[in-house]
Amino acid sequence: MADNAMMMNFDPKILKFKELVEESPNIVFFGGAGVSTESGIPDFRSKDGLYNQKYDYPPEEILSRTFFDRKTEEFYRFYRDKLNSLTIEPNVTHYKLAEWEREGKLTAVVTQNIDGLHQKAGSKNVLELHGSVLRNYCMKCGKFYSAETVFGGREIPKCKCGGIIKPDVVLYEESLDNRVLELSVAAISQADMLIVAGTSLTVYPASGLINYFRGENLVLINRDATPYDGKADLVIKESLGKVFSAL
């Protein structure tokens, strides 16, 4: 009785979401910055996001390939200050998704985030559309370097061969990895349920992946409205922490 009473206090949309998850054998999760904000990582477009903070240059410019090539030292000052996720821990959403994967319900996480928190929570099949801060490579010889190496210094990180080390993240003016895109399209197109969460769905081409979904239930979870709300079977405008804590 106590459990039933607690369930009655939940938002009916969250209860409906719970039912859909329980009924779905092939779930794909598509997430954006909002998945990690409750772990303490700032998003980009909210009033407190990176785009609304003051620097000598706009974050959009700093995170471009042109800026990286021309003002590498300034790029790394911003990068180390704002994108270091090494001490950040996953939140309930990350852990719940990893649990679903272990149970065989969730087949893939498609993420726009570069923080590596899904893997830290235990997820295995994570498709990182925009790369990861955990991978870094010499632009000259291709040697791999850890995130600790890059975030731990103060100068431009250099390889032993003399080449500049670049994070394996997709900067503005760079293309997404074709293999990751193909795997994401395949996962989404084969899913019977697609959960899209913590993203404004305004960044292309990533947001266009939702158009490949052919399954039964499209669920959007985001505090603000998205361009795809009208196409969804269920829209929940709540924090991800509240929603996933109820599952």
Side-chain angles (χ1 to χ4, degrees), residues 29-46 49-51 83 88 91 93-94 110-115 117-118 129-130 196-203 206 221-223 240:
F29 180 88
F30 180 100
V35 177
S36 294
T37 52
E38 292 180 32
S39 288
I41 294 179
D43 66 2
F44 281 76
R45 290 174 175 78
S46 72
L50 294 180
Y51 285 177
L83 299 179
I88 303 296
N91 59 57
T93 302
H94 298 107
V110 181
T111 181
Q112 294 173 286
N113 297 335
I114 60 174
D115 50 48
L117 292 183
H118 285 293
L129 294 171
H130 297 152
V196 181
T199 173
S200 61
L201 290 174
T202 57
V203 177
I221 308 172
N222 199 53
R223 285 185 178 274
L240 287 174

Side-chain angles (χ1 to χ4, degrees), residues 150-189:
V150 172
F151 286 119
R154 292 188 176 182
E155 307 296 330
I156 297 173
K158 297 279 187 71
C159 177
K160 293 180 179 179
C161 76
I164 294 175
I165 299 169
K166 179 184 179 296
D168 187 20
V169 299
V170 179
L171 302 175
Y172 289 104
E173 304 169 346
E174 293 184 323
S175 299
L176 273 61
D177 184 279
N178 282 332
R179 181 175 177 276
V180 175
L181 273 176
E182 290 171 1
L183 291 172
S184 299
V185 168
I188 290 172
S189 63

Side-chain angles (χ1 to χ4, degrees), residues 53-137:
Q53 298 180 22
K54 302 299 181 182
Y55 294 90
D56 292 339
Y57 303 90
E60 305 100 311
E61 183 178 351
I62 297 174
L63 295 174
S64 70
R65 180 56 188 263
T66 296
F67 194 93
F68 176 86
D69 290 336
R70 294 179 179 176
K71 297 181 181 293
T72 311
E73 187 174 0
E74 185 71 17
F75 169 90
Y76 269 111
R77 274 199 289 268
F78 178 90
Y79 182 80
R80 289 175 174 133
D81 184 33
K82 294 300 178 183
L83 299 179
N84 185 351
S85 59
L86 295 183
T87 61
I88 303 296
E89 293 300 320
N91 59 57
V92 63
T93 302
H94 298 107
Y95 285 117
K96 179 59 69 171
L97 295 172
E99 177 186 317
W100 289 348
E101 185 184 53
R102 289 193 298 272
E103 293 173 351
K105 292 185 68 66
L106 184 137
T107 56
V109 169
V110 181
T111 181
Q112 294 173 286
N113 297 335
I114 60 174
D115 50 48
L117 292 183
H118 285 293
Q119 291 93 328
K120 197 171 187 178
S123 290
K124 304 298 183 183
N125 190 23
V126 182
L127 300 170
E128 297 169 310
L129 294 171
H130 297 152
S132 173
V133 300
L134 302 182
R135 299 186 299 271
N136 304 271
Y137 298 94

Side-chain angles (χ1 to χ4, degrees), residues 206-247:
S207 61
L209 291 174
I210 194 172
N211 294 318
Y212 290 94
F213 180 61
R214 298 291 183 267
E216 295 183 4
N217 297 302
L218 172 60
V219 179
L220 299 185
I221 308 172
N222 199 53
R223 285 185 178 274
D224 302 315
T226 79
Y228 289 85
D229 285 4
K231 298 181 179 181
D233 299 289
L234 180 63
V235 177
I236 303 176
K237 294 183 179 179
E238 287 285 357
S239 72
L240 287 174
K242 177 179 178 180
V243 174
F244 278 82
S245 293
L247 301 178

